[in-house]
Amino acid sequence: MAFKPANNIQDLQYFGEFGGVNPSISDSSTYTFLSAKTMFDTFEGNADGCYLYSRHSSPSNLYLGEALAVMEGTETANVSASGMGAITPVLLQLCGAGDHVVSSRTIYGGTYAFLKNFTPRFNIETSFVDITKLDAVEAAITKNTKVLYCESVSNPLLEVADIKGLASIAKKHHLKLIVDNTFSPLSISPTVLGADIVIHSLTKFINGSSDTVGGVVCGTQDFINDLRNVNDGASMLLGSTMDSLRAASVLKNLRTLHIRMQQHSKNAMFLAKKFEADGLKTVYPGLESHPSHTLFKNMMNEQYGFGGMLTIDVGSIEKANALMELMQNKNLGYLAVSLGFYKTLFSAPGSSTSSEIPEDEQKEMGLSNGLIRFSIGLDADIERTYQMMRTCMESLDILKA
């Protein structure tokens, strides 16, 4: 039977404390116990249904975590105050001094910086590879490797990971496959394809309103328990806890994710086809010209499309900046980082979200100065949007009138 992530979210039904259609928000940092023994048992992790302290967990955070777990098909999940607040504890929970990570070379700049610049302080080393070449991935594995790390659809080059192939390699070498699925919620279900742990920045499509940051780790009950352990759990001890009010807000927005992803994908496909036909160098997994188009198609939950992210290359940073400024002035969107907003967002990743990656390495991976990353919005009239964008490009001689 096909995995239906949106149905799993739909089937979750919570009641508020007074019968509300939304669960009550647990606006408390600490929780009382009827007996000292129950407090002791909770500290030891032996008391189900009891809350200790909101850095550990809270009812609101658990509601959101449960909904995200059913979306990704995992046993449970743990939410955090940011996407990086999900990524960093997972890597530090699984890796210690002397361990090794094999990571995709094209990943979010913050993740890249953490693995390249920060974890070496703890004698954790990382090999960055072309994730689309499974032989290169396997060749990078050493006796000290603990983790394979990738993004379903990479930031910002939109490379697509062969999750089934990577899962096979991870299983063969007894590694944990961690997949950041931020760019493709609902469209791709990494756990179904063999991933051990799935991460999202909730800041992006899942929340969808660019009003908060958040993250989640979806995995087995045992692993999430390890992350929350009061003695040695990385999530518990590093303290990146999501606020209960924010968790309740994200949970409400999650209910419309399936509708939003369909519209993001529909609009992005329309623009990608138009841009490519205009002769622009366009990268979008939904285009047959994308090197991993067939791979994405074989992995995807079809009704949610190929996602809302696309890139074009206009040749230089000067032209990229001029175009983005003009599009913002014409109310076509915002010159801003991040993604998943109802309006289109655009940025030049080389000087923004991927600026942590050295210039020579950006060049090697194909991240050019003229690259513009678009997070396509929920525009009702995408034909009108295209015509306005084309007019902007014509006025800057990016396209001929």
Side-chain angles (χ1 to χ4, degrees):
M1 187 176 175
F3 183 70
K4 301 284 183 74
N7 285 2
N8 294 344
I9 297 170
Q10 177 73 31
D11 290 345
L12 278 180
Q13 196 155 306
Y14 302 123
F15 292 91
E17 186 180 357
F18 303 104
V21 295
N22 287 308
S24 303
I25 299 171
S26 51
D27 198 18
S28 294
S29 61
T30 190
Y31 298 85
T32 58
F33 294 89
L34 297 180
S35 74
K37 183 180 185 308
T38 308
M39 179 184 279
F40 172 79
D41 287 341
T42 303
F43 262 100
E44 294 294 305
N46 299 323
D48 289 336
C50 293
Y51 298 95
L52 174 69
Y53 182 51
S54 283
R55 177 159 56 87
H56 182 254
S57 67
S58 71
S60 295
N61 288 15
L62 288 173
Y63 284 133
L64 176 59
E66 185 180 350
L68 293 164
V70 298
M71 181 185 83
E72 287 296 0
T74 60
E75 290 177 0
T76 190
N78 188 58
V79 296
S80 59
S82 70
M84 288 304 294
I87 291 164
T88 55
V90 168
L91 290 166
L92 292 177
Q93 191 71 34
L94 293 172
C95 300
D99 289 339
H100 177 249
V101 176
V102 176
S103 169
S104 171
R105 63 183 183 173
T106 57
I107 51 175
Y108 172 58
T111 313
Y112 179 91
F114 181 70
L115 289 170
K116 178 83 170 181
N117 305 327
F118 197 87
T119 56
R121 299 183 190 184
F122 305 103
N123 196 24
I124 298 168
E125 300 298 331
T126 300
S127 296
F128 295 96
V129 300
D130 182 344
I131 206 70
T132 64
K133 296 178 179 173
L134 295 181
D135 54 347
V137 173
E138 190 155 23
I141 295 169
T142 73
K143 61 182 175 60
N144 296 323
T145 307
K146 292 291 190 294
V147 162
L148 280 185
Y149 186 93
C150 70
E151 296 171 351
S152 301
V153 181
S154 76
N155 184 0
L157 297 182
L158 309 184
E159 292 179 344
V160 179
D162 180 353
I163 298 172
K164 274 188 177 177
L166 292 169
S168 178
I169 292 171
K171 190 173 183 181
K172 176 181 172 184
H173 294 276
H174 308 290
L175 311 178
K176 294 293 185 188
L177 174 60
I178 305 171
V179 179
D180 182 336
N181 200 31
T182 298
F183 273 30
S184 46
L186 299 182
S187 293
I188 295 177
S189 300
T191 307
V192 174
L193 299 166
D196 296 294
I197 297 160
V198 180
I199 290 170
H200 284 273
S201 168
L202 302 178
T203 314
K204 315 299 194 305
F205 288 113
I206 287 176
N207 186 52
S209 50
S210 289
D211 59 358
T212 190
V213 292
V216 67
V217 182
C218 304
T220 64
Q221 187 70 57
D222 284 346
F223 182 66
I224 300 302
N225 286 347
D226 288 345
L227 284 175
R228 289 183 185 145
N229 189 289
V230 294
N231 295 308
D232 59 9
S235 288
M236 180 67 175
L237 298 176
L238 293 172
S240 179
T241 307
M242 177 171 266
D243 178 76
S244 291
L245 292 166
R246 284 306 191 187
S249 175
V250 175
L251 180 59
K252 294 184 188 85
N253 288 347
L254 178 65
R255 305 297 193 182
T256 62
L257 178 63
H258 60 295
I259 301 168
R260 292 185 282 111
M261 287 310 301
Q262 287 168 348
Q263 189 71 9
H264 285 302
S265 293
K266 178 185 172 186
N267 285 351
M269 178 67 95
F270 182 90
L271 290 178
K273 285 181 175 178
K274 288 289 190 181
F275 290 157
E276 187 172 60
D278 287 335
L280 291 168
K281 185 180 176 184
T282 309
V283 177
Y284 181 66
L287 295 174
E288 290 186 11
S289 59
H290 191 288
S292 298
H293 172 72
T294 302
L295 172 63
F296 195 117
K297 203 169 181 180
N298 290 338
M299 291 194 297
M300 72 191 292
N301 299 312
E302 197 171 343
Q303 63 269 47
Y304 305 109
F306 293 89
M309 305 300 297
L310 65 84
T311 68
I312 62 171
D313 194 329
V314 296
S316 70
I317 189 66
E318 291 78 19
K319 281 190 174 181
N321 288 341
L323 177 59
M324 291 188 293
E325 289 170 9
L326 183 56
M327 288 191 297
Q328 180 167 256
N329 289 340
K330 298 292 184 183
N331 297 333
L332 285 163
Y334 297 102
L335 204 178
V337 299
S338 201
L339 48 126
F341 194 40
Y342 83 97
K343 287 277 279 187
T344 293
L345 304 177
F346 29 82
S347 61
S351 57
S352 59
T353 53
S354 296
S355 59
E356 297 93 336
I357 302 172
E359 277 189 37
D360 58 329
E361 294 183 34
Q362 289 187 25
K363 190 174 180 181
E364 185 184 329
M365 64 177 63
L367 178 48
S368 70
N369 282 332
L371 192 77
I372 301 175
R373 188 191 77 176
F374 286 81
S375 168
I376 304 302
L378 301 174
D379 308 34
D381 186 350
I382 196 65
E383 172 70 42
R384 171 176 170 267
T385 298
Y386 163 70
Q387 293 297 342
M388 293 173 70
M389 285 183 172
R390 184 182 170 95
T391 299
C392 291
M393 292 180 195
E394 289 173 355
S395 71
L396 296 169
D397 290 325
I398 293 167
L399 291 175
K400 298 300 179 190

